C-alpha cells in the first residue's frame, strides 16, 4: 500500500497551478520594479531636498517644479504605472476584472506622473483618486471561487479592505479633518502607496510558487 492516498493526490492536483498559467519571469521582474520605483523614487527624491518633511508633505509635492529634481519622483511614478500594466498582463490565473483594475491603477499612476499637481491640479487629483481606488479594489476582484491563497476571498477581500481603509485615512489627512489637522498626510500616503505597490509582487510570487505536481 502506497503512502499517498487518492484523496491527497486529488487535493494536490486541485491546488496546483498548471505551468502554462504561472506568471512568466518578466511578470515577476515588473512586480519587483513597481515597489522599487515607487519607494525608491520618493526616498531618493526627498533625500535631494534641503528641507522636506516626509511625514506631512505628499509624494506629489516631490514632483513639482519647486523641487531640486522633480523628474526623479515623476520617473518613479511613471515606471511604477507601466510596471503594474506589465504585471497584469502576466497574471493569467487572475480573473479579468482583477487584471483590468490593476491595469487601470497602473495607467492612473502613470497619469499622476504626467500631470504634476502644481500645473495640472484637477487632472492630477482625478488620476490619483482613480489610481488609489483601482489599486485598492483589484485584490478583491482578483479572488476566484474556490481559489486558494492570495486568490481566495478570505485573503483577497481583507487585503482590499485594509488598502481602502488606508486610502480613507490618507484622504482624511489630506483634507485636514483629522485631530492632527493633516500633520500625517505624507506618512499615510506613503503607507498606502507602498502597500499598493507591493501587493502585485506578493500575488506574483505566490502564484509562481504553485507548481504542477510531479
Amino acid at each position: 500500500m502506497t503512502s499517498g492516498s487518492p484523496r491527497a493526490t486529488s487535493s494536490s492536483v486541485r491546488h496546483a497551478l498548471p505551468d502554462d498559467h504561472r506568471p512568466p519571469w518578466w511578470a515577476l521582474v515588473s512586480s519587483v520594479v513597481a515597489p522599487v520605483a515607487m519607494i525608491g523614487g520618493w526616498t531618493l527624491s526627498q533625500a535631494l531636498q534641503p528641507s522636506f518633511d516626509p511625514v506631512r508633505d505628499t509624494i506629489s509635492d516631490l514632483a513639482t517644479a519647486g523641487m531640486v529634481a522633480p523628474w526623479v519622483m515623476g520617473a518613479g511614478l511613471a515606471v511604477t504605472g507601466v510596471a503594474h500594466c506589465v504585471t497584469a498582463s502576466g497574471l493569467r490565473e487572475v480573473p479579468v476584472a482583477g487584471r483590468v483594475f490593476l491595469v487601470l491603477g497602473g495607467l492612473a499612476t502613470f497619469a499622476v506622473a504626467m500631470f504634476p499637481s502644481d500645473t495640472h491640479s484637477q487632472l492630477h487629483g482625478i488620476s490619483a483618486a482613480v489610481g488609489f481606488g483601482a489599486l485598492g479594489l483589484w485584490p478583491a476582484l482578483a479572488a476566484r471561487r474556490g481559489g486558494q491563497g492570495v486568490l481566495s476571498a478570505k485573503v483577497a477581500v481583507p487585503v482590499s479592505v485594509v488598502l481602502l481603509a488606508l486610502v480613507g485615512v490618507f484622504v482624511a489627512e489630506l483634507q485636514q479633518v483629522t485631530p492632527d489637522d493633516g500633520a500625517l498626510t505624507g506618512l499615510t500616503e506613503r503607507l498606502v502607496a507602498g502597500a499598493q505597490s507591493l501587493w502585485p509582487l506578493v500575488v506574483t510570487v505566490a502564484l509562481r510558487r504553485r507548481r504542477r505536481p510531479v
Side-chain angles (χ1 to χ4, degrees), residues 148-208:
Q148 302 295 317
V150 293
L151 298 187
S152 67
K154 66 181 180 181
V155 172
V157 172
V159 168
S160 277
V161 170
V162 171
L163 292 178
L164 292 174
L166 287 173
V167 173
V169 174
F170 164 60
V171 172
E173 287 284 339
L174 187 64
Q175 298 300 318
Q176 299 183 353
V177 295
T178 54
D180 58 18
D181 292 326
L184 301 179
T185 300
L187 176 61
T188 54
E189 183 184 29
R190 283 160 177 74
L191 286 175
V192 64
Q196 289 187 340
S197 70
L198 283 166
W199 186 247
L201 172 59
V202 173
V203 173
T204 304
V205 170
L207 294 182
R208 280 185 61 84

Side-chain angles (χ1 to χ4, degrees), residues 67-85:
M67 298 291 113
V68 172
W71 63 269
V72 173
M73 192 66 249
L77 289 165
V79 171
T80 299
V82 172
H84 283 330
C85 294

Side-chain angles (χ1 to χ4, degrees), residues 38-163:
M38 175 64 76
I39 299 172
W42 82 53
T43 300
L44 176 59
S45 186
Q46 66 195 30
L48 296 173
Q49 310 308 317
S51 60
F52 187 84
D53 184 0
V55 175
R56 176 179 284 275
D57 299 329
T58 68
I59 295 170
S60 297
D61 291 337
L62 292 168
T64 57
M67 298 291 113
V68 172
W71 63 269
V72 173
M73 192 66 249
L77 289 165
V79 171
T80 299
V82 172
H84 283 330
C85 294
V86 174
T87 301
S89 67
L91 297 179
R92 293 178 288 243
E93 181 68 9
V94 172
V96 172
R99 297 170 68 186
V100 166
F101 268 68
L102 180 54
V103 169
L104 179 60
L107 293 176
T109 302
F110 186 85
V112 168
M114 297 299 101
F115 303 119
S117 59
D118 57 336
T119 57
H120 301 82
S121 59
Q122 186 173 8
L123 289 174
H124 181 89
I126 293 172
S127 299
V130 171
F132 279 130
L135 292 175
L137 286 170
W138 94 270
L141 295 174
R144 301 181 64 95
R145 177 176 296 182
Q148 302 295 317
V150 293
L151 298 187
S152 67
K154 66 181 180 181
V155 172
V157 172
V159 168
S160 277
V161 170
V162 171
L163 292 178

